[in-house]
Amino acid sequence: MTTTAQAAPTAERASQSPARRRVFSGVQPSGDPQLGNYIGAFKGWVDRQDEKENFFCIVDLHTITVDTAPDDLRRQSRELAAALFACGIDPDKCTLFVQSHVAAHAEACWILNCVTPIGWLERMTQFKDKSAGRESVSTGLLDYPVLMAGDILLYSAHEVPVGDDQRQHVELARDIAARFNRIYGETFVVPEAVIPDVGGRVMGLNDPRVKMSKSFSHVRGHAVRLLDEPREIERSIMRAVTDSGNEIAFSDDPDRAGVNNLLGIYKVITGGTNAQVERDFADARGYGDLKRRVAELVIEELTPIRRRYYELMDDVAELDRLLAVGADHARSVSDPKLTEMKEKVGFVLPS
Ligand code: AQP
C-alpha cells in the first residue's frame, strides 16, 4: 500500500522541479467525510497528484470556529487523515499535514487580518449561513476566510481545487493577495480556484436543494458517508428524493435536481460524458433502476476505500508519523514565506 511507503526526506522533496504548478487545498475534520467531499475534492486531488506539487491540509484551526468537542476533534483529525490516504493520497507525491502542526498558518492569518477590510468578511455567504440563528458567533467564524487565505498564500499555490461552496473564499484569498502585493510589493502568487465542471456541488439526497454536508451527515438519508457499509449506502440512495417524472436525463430544471444529482455522481465516478451517461440509462425502467445502478457504482467505488481506511486506523503510530513528515515539509515551504511577509510589513527579524 502506498501509504506505508517511506515518505521522501524533506530536503529531497523541497527540491522537486519548481516548474510544476503548486496546489493547495484543505478539508475540515468536522465530521464524517461524505460523498460530496470525495466527488467535489478528494477524487480530483488523487487523480491529479502526479501532475502537480500538492499540499493538502487537515484544517483543524478552521474547525474550532464552531463548537467542537476536543475529543471529537482529535479523533476526527486522525480519521480524516486515514480517509484521505485510503482514497489514494500518496505521501510520496503529496504533502498531507495538520494545520495546527504548522504555526505559520496562525501567524500569517494575523498579518493578513490587518490588510483585510472587515466588510469583505461580513459579505461571505458561508459566514451568513453558519452564523444564521446562532445566539453567539465566534470571531474565528468571521475570520475563517482570512485564515484560509493564509493557508493558500503561504505555499504560493497557483491552484486551489475546491467544491463550488468554497469559490467565494478563494476569490477573497485572491483579493487579499492582490491588496497585500499592492501595499507591500510583490509577495504572493494570486491563486485560482479549480472547480469541477460536474460534482462541484453534490446535493443532499434527502433534499436536492441543499449541499450535501458533513455537518448534516447524521441526518438520516442526507449523505452517503465515505465509510458507510454497502447496505447503508444502498438505503440512502434508494430513498433519494427525485420528482414525479420518469425521464433519465441531465437537466437544469430545479424540480429535477434530484435526478440531476444522481446522474452527476454517476458521471464523476465513471468519467463519462453526459451523452454516455444518458446512454447507460437508455434501457432503465424508471428512477428505481437509476438509483439501484448509482448505488451499485458508489458501493463499488467506496468499498476498497473503506477496507484501506480500517487497515490504516490499525496503525495510528504510522499515521502520526506520516503526518509529522508532512508537517516538516510544509514548514520548509511556509516558514520562508512567513519570514518574507514579516520583512515586508516591517517587523525586526530575530537575529
Ligand atoms: N456537497 C459537496 N459537493 C462538492 N464538494 C463539496 N465539498 C464539501 N461538500 C461538497 C468540498 O469538500 C472540500 C472539503 O470541505 P470542507 O471540509 O473544508 O468544508 P465544507 O466545504 O464546509 O464541507 P462540508 O462537508 O459541508 O463540511 P461542514 O459541514 O463541516 O461545513 C472542499 O473543497 C469543499 O468545497
Side-chain angles (χ1 to χ4, degrees), residues 210-237:
V210 302
K211 177 183 91 106
M212 190 181 282
S213 223
K214 276 187 236 94
S215 325
F216 299 129
S217 59
H218 60 281
V219 174
R220 212 152 186 219
H222 170 75
V224 167
R225 289 165 298 198
L226 286 196
L227 304 172
D228 278 347
E229 296 289 332
R231 215 166 332 126
E232 186 75 34
I233 297 176
E234 189 183 5
R235 205 169 19 228
S236 304
I237 295 181

Side-chain angles (χ1 to χ4, degrees), residues 245-264:
N246 59 8
E247 194 197 352
I248 302 178
F250 286 97
S251 157
D252 292 336
D253 181 351
D255 291 339
R256 309 203 56 236
V259 168
N260 212 49
N261 194 34
L262 293 173
L263 289 174

Side-chain angles (χ1 to χ4, degrees), residues 118-140:
I118 202 162
W120 288 8
L121 304 181
E122 287 164 340
R123 280 199 293 275
M124 293 293 108
T125 47
Q126 182 172 293
F127 174 69
K128 289 185 198 162
D129 291 348
K130 290 204 169 178
S131 57
R134 282 176 194 262
E135 234 169 64
S136 164
V137 173
S138 74
T139 309

